[in-house]
């Protein structure tokens, strides 16, 4: 009886050992992964300046100049648009409010040297349906350090003192605008979507 009890105890112990061994060697095939998204915000970055002709700035470039005009005078005014190095590709527009248009030399007199003709030569085209808004004839990129608008203007030689005096407070104002190129098939389509206060 003692011998049988010992055998039963041994068998039970062996049985527990087998069970324990089986439970510790069972494993499941598993895997783990994740996708983490990091978002950055796109931006359109442009700047415009022109040569400082009245020495009102500490640098060579300025945003505001005063001109003392006389008949036949030719003046440097060279607005240039700069696209920021972090900017998205964009369509660029300029609105030119030419307050001296009627005393500016005509194209025939200057061999295509008016503000408008210079803009056409620099790759700008009048936006359809607009009288003073021009589009750049390509998409601008962050590699565009300098996009010239025009270079100068010239006053007609036959303007008399009385007429010239009427332009004492006249301005040539150039405003630059840019809209992302992504999502638009053309500059015209982008201009239609532009904010109403641009127009």
């Amino acid at each position: 009886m003692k011998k049988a009890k010992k055998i039963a105890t041994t068998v039970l112990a062996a049985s527990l050992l087998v069970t324990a061994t089986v439970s510790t060697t069972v494993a499941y095939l598993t895997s783990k992964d994740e996708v983490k998204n990091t978002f950055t915000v796109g931006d359109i970055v442009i700047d415009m300046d022109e040569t400082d002709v009245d020495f009102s700035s500490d640098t060579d470039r300025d945003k505001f100049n005063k001109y003392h005009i006389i008949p036949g005078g030719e003046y440097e005014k060279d607005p240039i648009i700069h696209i920021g190095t972090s900017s998205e590709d964009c369509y660029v527009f300029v609105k030119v409010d030419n307050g001296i248009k009627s005393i500016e030399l005509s194209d025939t007199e200057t061999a295509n040297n008016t503000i408008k003709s210079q803009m056409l030569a620099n790759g700008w085209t009048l936006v359809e349906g607009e009288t003073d808004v021009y589009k750049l004839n390509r998409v601008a990129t962050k590699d565009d350090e300098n996009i010239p608008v025009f270079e100068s203007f010239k006053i007609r030689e036959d303007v008399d003192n009385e007429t010239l005096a009427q332009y004492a407070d006249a301005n040539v104002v150039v405003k630059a605008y840019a809209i992302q190129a992504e999502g638009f098939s053309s500059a015209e389509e982008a201009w239609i979507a532009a904010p109403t206060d641009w127009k």
Side-chain angles (χ1 to χ4, degrees):
M1 175 88 178
K2 207 171 186 182
K3 189 176 180 184
K5 192 172 180 185
K6 189 176 180 182
I7 291 171
T9 302
T10 304
V11 169
L12 181 60
S15 175
L16 288 171
L17 181 63
V18 169
T19 303
T21 303
V22 169
S23 67
T24 57
T25 58
V26 172
Y28 298 97
L29 299 177
T30 61
S31 180
K32 183 179 178 182
D33 199 4
E34 70 176 26
V35 174
K36 184 176 181 180
N37 301 113
T38 300
F39 295 94
T40 58
V41 178
D43 199 5
I44 300 296
V45 181
I46 65 169
D47 185 39
M48 183 170 57
D49 55 29
E50 62 185 15
T51 298
D52 179 18
V53 299
D54 62 358
F55 308 107
S56 60
S57 172
D58 294 334
T59 64
D60 293 339
R61 306 293 292 175
D62 199 357
K63 292 187 177 291
F64 180 80
N65 280 300
K66 291 183 179 178
Y67 294 88
H68 178 72
I69 57 175
I70 60 173
E74 187 167 2
Y75 305 91
E76 182 176 17
K77 183 174 178 66
D78 61 344
I80 293 176
I81 299 169
H82 314 280
I83 308 297
T85 56
S86 63
S87 183
E88 303 294 326
D89 293 353
C90 54
Y91 290 110
V92 180
F93 304 86
V94 289
K95 184 172 185 176
V96 181
D97 180 8
N98 187 354
I100 61 163
K101 186 186 297 184
S102 61
I103 59 170
E104 186 185 13
L105 279 173
S106 68
D107 284 337
T108 54
E109 293 171 297
T110 61
N112 298 320
N113 198 34
T114 61
I115 287 174
K116 182 177 180 179
S117 62
Q118 291 173 62
M119 291 181 69
L120 295 174
N122 286 336
W124 298 92
T125 305
L126 199 60
V127 173
E128 187 175 343
E130 299 287 346
T131 59
D132 55 2
V133 178
Y134 297 78
K135 62 177 180 178
L136 186 64
N137 292 329
R138 61 180 176 81
V139 172
T141 72
K142 61 185 179 183
D143 296 324
D144 284 305
E145 293 181 9
N146 300 306
I147 303 173
V149 181
F150 56 90
E151 291 77 34
S152 63
F153 64 91
K154 187 171 183 177
I155 304 301
R156 292 198 332 256
E157 293 181 2
D158 63 351
V159 177
D160 59 34
N161 291 347
E162 186 177 338
T163 302
L164 200 60
Q166 297 172 22
Y167 291 86
D169 296 318
N171 293 295
V172 177
V173 180
V174 182
K175 296 180 181 177
Y177 308 94
I179 305 174
Q180 68 183 56
E182 183 71 29
F184 298 107
S185 60
S186 67
E188 289 80 5
E189 187 180 327
W191 182 251
I192 290 170
T196 54
D197 63 345
W198 287 13
K199 302 171 183 178

